[in-house]
Amino acid sequence: MNKRKRLFSLICAICIFSCSCGLGKTTPSADKPIVLGFSQLGDESTWRSQNSRSIISAAEEAGIKIMFDDAMQDPENQIKAIRSFIAYKVDVIAFSPLVETGWDTVLGEAKAAGIPVIIVDRMIDTEDDSLYTCALCSDFDLEGRHAGQFLLDKYRYTEQPIKIVELAGTIDSTPAIGRYEGFRSVISSDSKFEVIFSACGDFMLSKGREIMQQVLELYDPEEIDVLYSHNDDMTFGAIEVMREAGIEPGKDIVIISVDATQRIIDYLRAGTVNCVIECNPNSGPQLMELAKKIVAGEEVEKQIYIKELVFDENSNFNKIADRGY
Ligand code: AHR
């Protein structure tokens, strides 16, 4: 376990410990703080680590006691965590679902126990929207459409075919679905765009590397015009492989990446990538506000989208604020 992960686990342990001291309370008040059970899907990316930090620190600032569980990329672990939150009678449950399906039973149990549920970051696929109180998510379809629009604009005056390689996120996860579908809904308006290869890299740097290696075994670099990557970590892996193969990223192959970590913005400034679609990980403060309102019995919107930006090679780089992660 590296230093960063150990520090993170320690923070989680402290949060969980301080939380357990406040359990058994039924009505939150000034001396009986709200208890929030949060199931994080894992720690697969730079984005995810920042999202966890945002949630843990916002809980502390809001005076909310958090039970934080890292499911390590396994939906079964998320189900177990949610069941333990129900058993502990937390005031509110929030979770970031790894995949969209398979949640109805456990959310039915939370509903039966009278515990409100907030879906965070990714969405669930259910016929029964009474199973959650609200969803605070990114608009992943819009992110995909932004990526497509960048290509439409960039290649407006080009007539030759534009061949695209796609590094996709986790199968059945909302970001992978939205970024796949949104992108295609835009590029399909011009037949010169063709996705020649698409594979799932699970949002991980190591898999981005592996897939890019496979791609370069299948295609000559001259056959690839664009790399569209569903997150920055996979992009970092792909860039390493391109450089090892003597390919100049951002010049020989145009790169679009989603997330907007500081490192990818530095790459954008350097011309190593060409377009960055922001996916905002800093949802902690908004989540705490929602938790407080819900516990106080206030009405909240059912679906809330987090605000996100787009940066590309034509942006004014001086106006891009430090990303902070
Ligand atoms: O659900 C958000 C996505 O999940 C981010 O784009 C990615 O980096 C993370 O793993």
Side-chain angles (χ1 to χ4, degrees):
M1 197 188 280
N2 65 30
K3 210 173 158 193
R4 184 176 63 88
K5 282 202 170 163
R6 259 186 285 130
L7 178 67
F8 186 66
S9 307
L10 183 66
I11 293 167
C12 296
I14 292 167
C15 293
I16 290 164
F17 174 73
S18 63
C19 170
S20 65
C21 299
L23 290 171
K25 297 167 179 155
T26 45
T27 319
S29 63
D31 48 330
K32 288 182 177 181
I34 293 170
V35 179
L36 164 74
F38 185 83
S39 163
Q40 180 59 283
L41 64 89
D43 194 29
E44 75 287 3
S45 64
T46 312
W47 187 100
R48 185 68 50 199
S49 307
Q50 175 61 18
N51 182 241
S52 297
R53 279 193 295 270
S54 169
I55 288 165
I56 290 171
S57 64
E60 201 185 317
E61 272 164 40
I64 290 178
K65 292 198 180 287
I66 188 166
M67 294 183 76
F68 185 98
D69 185 83
D70 175 349
M72 296 183 294
Q73 307 289 311
D74 185 346
E76 283 305 316
N77 288 340
Q78 294 203 272
I79 290 172
K80 277 186 209 149
I82 294 170
R83 289 207 167 111
S84 75
F85 300 151
I86 297 169
Y88 276 123
K89 299 187 170 63
V90 299
D91 299 303
V92 53
I93 291 171
F95 80 117
S96 187
L98 179 74
V99 290
E100 290 199 340
T101 48
W103 306 106
D104 281 26
T105 305
V106 74
L107 295 188
E109 292 165 23
K111 185 179 170 185
I115 302 175
V117 172
I118 307 174
I119 316 279
V120 182
D121 162 33
R122 304 180 177 182
M123 213 23 219
I124 59 165
D125 184 5
T126 180
E127 306 248 298
D128 180 1
D129 71 1
S130 75
L131 292 176
Y132 62 95
T133 305
C134 77
L136 171 64
C137 299
S138 292
D139 187 340
F140 298 112
D141 192 85
L142 180 63
E143 292 173 355
R145 281 183 276 135
H146 281 316
Q149 191 57 49
F150 170 75
L151 290 188
L152 238 52
D153 295 342
K154 184 171 176 73
Y155 294 105
R156 186 175 304 138
Y157 303 112
T158 307
E159 276 171 21
Q160 78 248 29
I162 302 296
K163 311 271 187 195
I164 303 161
V165 165
E166 180 180 44
L167 294 180
T170 304
I171 293 165
D172 191 30
S173 72
T174 322
I177 296 168
R179 290 168 190 170
Y180 178 101
E181 289 178 355
F183 182 67
R184 281 161 179 77
S185 73
V186 171
I187 59 164
S188 61
S189 65
D190 189 333
S191 61
K192 70 174 173 257
F193 294 109
E194 189 194 346
V195 180
I196 56 168
F197 182 95
S198 178
C200 162
D202 264 331
F203 296 114
M204 291 177 188
L205 188 151
S206 56
K207 294 199 183 172
R209 260 195 80 87
E210 272 168 38
I211 296 172
M212 198 64 213
Q213 276 161 348
Q214 284 169 25
V215 167
L216 293 181
E217 278 162 23
L218 292 171
Y219 300 93
D220 283 335
E222 298 74 38
E223 291 177 281
I224 307 164
D225 298 294
V226 175
L227 173 75
Y228 168 43
S229 166
H230 286 199
N231 90 335
D232 289 355
D233 290 77
M234 292 190 294
T235 311
F236 298 143
I239 286 175
E240 284 173 14
V241 173
M242 284 186 203
R243 285 182 167 150
E244 287 158 16
I247 298 165
E248 205 181 339
K251 308 263 177 330
D252 298 332
I253 298 178
V254 164
I255 300 181
I256 307 172
S257 188
V258 188
D259 276 355
T261 55
Q262 185 59 52
R263 185 170 159 206
I264 209 85
I265 294 296
D266 294 342
Y267 279 176
L268 180 68
R269 287 179 205 274
T272 307
V273 303
N274 309 77
C275 178
V276 176
I277 318 293
E278 181 188 31
C279 182
N280 187 347
N282 299 313
S283 53
Q286 233 177 322
L287 171 61
M288 299 311 143
E289 240 176 77
L290 285 169
K292 282 184 175 176
K293 283 187 179 166
I294 290 167
V295 171
E298 288 176 39
E299 282 289 308
V300 295
E301 270 179 73
K302 191 80 182 173
Q303 177 78 58
I304 302 163
Y305 287 116
I306 298 165
K307 284 206 181 113
E308 293 172 340
L309 303 167
V310 179
F311 311 103
D312 70 27
E313 54 200 4
N314 303 311
S315 299
N316 180 347
F317 298 144
N318 297 325
K319 288 200 170 159
I320 305 179
D322 277 353
R323 310 302 303 154
Y325 80 106

